[in-house]
Amino acid sequence: MGSESYRHPLAALRAQLSLSASEYLTLLDRRHRELGYGAMATRREKVARWESGVCAPEPTAQLAIASLHGIAEQAVHELGWPDWLLLTFPDDRTALGAPWTREGTVASMAASRRGGSVDRRGFLIATGATLGGIVTQWSESFDQLPTAPTGRRTLTGDMVTRLEQRLDDLRHLDDVLGGGELRQIATAEFQLISSLADRAAYTSQTGRRLFTTVSEAARICGWQYFDAGRQAAAQKYFITALRASATAGDPEAGAHVLSFMAIQTYSVGNPQDAVDLVQAAQNQTGQRCTTPRVRSMLHARAARALSKTPHGRNACTHELSLARETFARGAHDDDPPWIYWMTEGEIEMLAGSCALDLGDPRQALRFFEAARAAEYSADGYVRDNALYLTRAAEAHLALGEIEEACTAARQAFEQSSGVDSTRPSGAITDLRKRLKPHRSTPVVRDFLELTA
């Protein structure tokens, strides 16, 4: 099946079992008969229709699939297709269902270490009520004491500081290189830090810092897997990061994780779920548990999620106003190191993306121009700048400004050529499709040839 992401749980399951569509249907037909449901058609097109979402298997076929993989019939009825298929991946069950204790965090860390590097599933493993339940458990789990006095190696505060510094380097490299080239390094860092959290000895104070560092290492992995289109692995890392923040007793770190989970959710899932994630982060941090700069980031992220919902215009505008207002209060000595990217220019870039999704391309261009006037650092955030250029191109195209659209699209293409990320490249592919009807225009023809 090559190196592409699997977009459906059944496709991922067949790949895990090394079964073609025909081979899988042969096994399924046999189990269907054994259960007394009779013969079923075994044309491979049937599986293609299931995996593309065109249709769901008949109820008896679903029960046969469940029986084939040891899934209880009750789960089939309660969860529905294809959500119950997620139960066939045991590491998902660990991340989703382990208790919200230090032991549960350790188990989730181990599950992420086992599956992240090979998990190519392009779908979420938690949505709706499942995702909401995870967030509720997170918000109620900040009373843990992460001590490990029986470890063979003692971890000091200075050692944790060095681990934190390594993650800071990864964050800044990710801004300009993208996740593709850094993913293996990030995964190795997570494996090192989470192994120390599991096996070393440390004081309670050092343990809290260590689990906050685990949370950030897992968040970085989640972000980079999301950047590669590996949604299941990304979400599993994000959930592990959320668990680690609870073990650390650090709601600010958890709010940071939730803001990135929201990006993934409004990009490939239900935008309302993303709104709920950010609101949970805002509720947990409040006015006292974090700084104005972090609150500004959460307001901006809430606005972005709201812009993708059917009736979010007014709430989006309000959240953007709050983002600007809280950012204007300035930096704070307690600002976490990961908030460095939150600038006035970033707020205006996000505002432009919101306006575009809300159907106001002219306003989007005004916001993008305001971001440039605020000295938005294109060189420091190469991937993000390439994405914003594609959105500027979309805005120009929506206004019928073909030449301006091609100019922005060409700049985006040149920027993205140095970044290993599926998001700018996917956006440029989408721009190509939108521009093809105008291929008779010389600038469009030149762009299509350049990016062929």
Side-chain angles (χ1 to χ4, degrees):
M1 292 190 176
S3 60
E4 77 282 0
S5 291
Y6 304 113
R7 296 293 178 183
H8 193 278
L10 184 57
L13 180 59
R14 287 194 303 103
Q16 185 172 278
L17 299 171
S18 299
L19 292 173
S20 69
S22 297
E23 291 168 337
Y24 188 78
L25 280 173
T26 298
L27 289 177
L28 186 57
D29 175 50
R30 185 183 307 156
R31 182 56 56 92
H32 200 264
R33 294 168 185 262
E34 291 170 352
L35 292 174
Y37 300 138
M40 59 181 291
T42 57
R43 295 187 303 274
R44 62 182 181 180
E45 291 81 5
K46 181 188 290 285
V47 171
R49 289 170 63 81
W50 293 344
E51 293 177 353
S52 66
V54 171
C55 64
E58 293 294 324
T60 57
Q62 289 195 43
L63 293 176
I65 295 171
S67 175
L68 198 60
H69 300 292
I71 304 301
E73 181 177 335
Q74 181 180 358
V76 176
H77 298 307
E78 289 182 353
L79 300 178
W81 177 270
D83 289 354
W84 66 261
L85 271 179
L86 298 174
L87 299 177
T88 60
F89 300 93
D91 283 344
D92 291 354
R93 293 201 294 271
T94 301
L96 298 175
W100 282 74
T101 60
R102 180 189 182 278
E103 291 72 25
T105 299
V106 168
S108 186
M109 293 187 314
S112 293
R113 288 197 298 265
R114 285 193 299 270
S117 62
V118 296
D119 193 340
R120 292 191 281 113
R121 293 175 292 161
F123 51 83
L124 299 176
I125 63 172
T127 59
T130 301
L131 193 58
I134 288 170
V135 174
T136 298
Q137 290 176 301
W138 166 76
S139 66
E140 298 172 350
S141 303
F142 286 96
D143 296 326
Q144 305 170 48
L145 294 174
T147 57
T150 59
R152 292 179 296 174
R153 175 185 297 165
T154 299
L155 201 66
T156 66
D158 287 343
M159 293 169 70
V160 175
T161 298
R162 293 189 180 276
L163 294 171
E164 293 168 341
Q165 291 170 347
R166 289 162 68 101
L167 294 183
D168 194 50
D169 288 338
L170 266 179
R171 282 191 291 264
H172 288 277
L173 286 171
D174 176 71
D175 292 334
V176 294
L177 295 178
E181 295 174 296
L182 296 175
R183 200 162 57 247
Q184 287 185 332
I185 298 173
T187 302
E189 289 291 321
F190 171 75
Q191 290 174 339
L192 169 64
I193 298 168
S194 62
S195 294
L196 291 171
D198 184 12
R199 300 167 188 166
Y202 35 78
T203 65
S204 179
Q205 181 179 2
T206 300
R208 291 188 183 280
R209 282 185 60 200
L210 178 59
F211 273 89
T212 290
T213 309
V214 170
S215 178
E216 178 61 1
R219 184 206 63 80
I220 291 172
C221 287
W223 177 241
Q224 292 184 349
Y225 276 93
F226 164 69
D227 199 36
R230 309 285 179 83
Q231 306 302 341
Q235 197 176 38
K236 192 155 56 180
Y237 273 115
F238 284 144
I239 293 169
T240 296
L242 205 59
R243 288 177 175 277
S245 73
T247 300
D250 191 340
E252 186 178 66
H256 187 215
V257 175
L258 286 171
S259 73
F260 279 81
M261 291 178 75
I263 297 173
Q264 180 189 36
T265 304
Y266 67 58
S267 298
V268 299
N270 183 346
Q272 186 57 54
D273 285 348
V275 173
D276 295 342
L277 290 172
V278 182
Q279 288 178 344
Q282 291 172 321
N283 292 339
Q284 194 65 33
T285 52
Q287 296 292 314
R288 297 182 180 180
C289 294
T290 192
T291 67
R293 187 112 332 156
V294 175
R295 289 201 296 276
S296 175
M297 179 271 291
L298 292 174
H299 286 305
R301 191 58 59 207
R304 190 72 186 97
L306 284 161
S307 73
K308 292 179 174 290
T309 62
H311 308 290
R313 179 183 295 274
N314 291 338
C316 171
T317 301
H318 179 64
E319 289 288 346
L320 284 172
S321 296
L322 291 174
R324 295 184 179 101
E325 177 186 318
T326 51
F327 183 85
R329 296 176 188 172
H332 193 281
D333 289 343
D334 291 333
D335 279 335
W338 42 258
I339 201 62
Y340 66 92
W341 59 268
M342 193 61 192
T343 64
E344 181 183 350
E346 180 65 26
I347 293 174
E348 299 310 317
M349 283 292 188
L350 286 167
S353 294
C354 290
L356 188 60
D357 279 342
L358 289 169
D360 193 344
R362 183 64 68 194
Q363 179 72 336
L365 290 173
R366 285 194 284 267
F367 283 135
F368 290 145
E369 184 56 38
R372 284 187 283 273
E375 299 183 354
Y376 175 78
S377 176
D379 293 336
Y381 306 96
V382 178
R383 176 190 51 219
D384 288 351
N385 190 55
L387 278 170
Y388 288 131
L389 284 166
T390 64
R391 291 168 189 164
E394 288 179 38
H396 283 299
L397 190 56
L399 293 166
E401 299 168 352
I402 305 301
E403 290 195 12
E404 292 86 345
C406 286
T407 297
R410 180 183 286 268
Q411 292 173 345
F413 176 74
E414 292 169 352
Q415 284 266 328
S416 65
S417 63
V419 180
D420 192 350
S421 170
T422 63
R423 291 186 297 139
S425 60
I428 290 169
T429 298
D430 186 57
L431 276 174
R432 283 176 50 82
K433 294 177 182 176
R434 297 187 187 193
L435 284 166
K436 280 183 179 178
H438 307 280
R439 61 167 60 88
S440 60
T441 305
V443 290
V444 174
R445 186 167 59 249
D446 290 345
F447 174 74
L448 294 176
E449 290 175 356
L450 174 68
T451 58

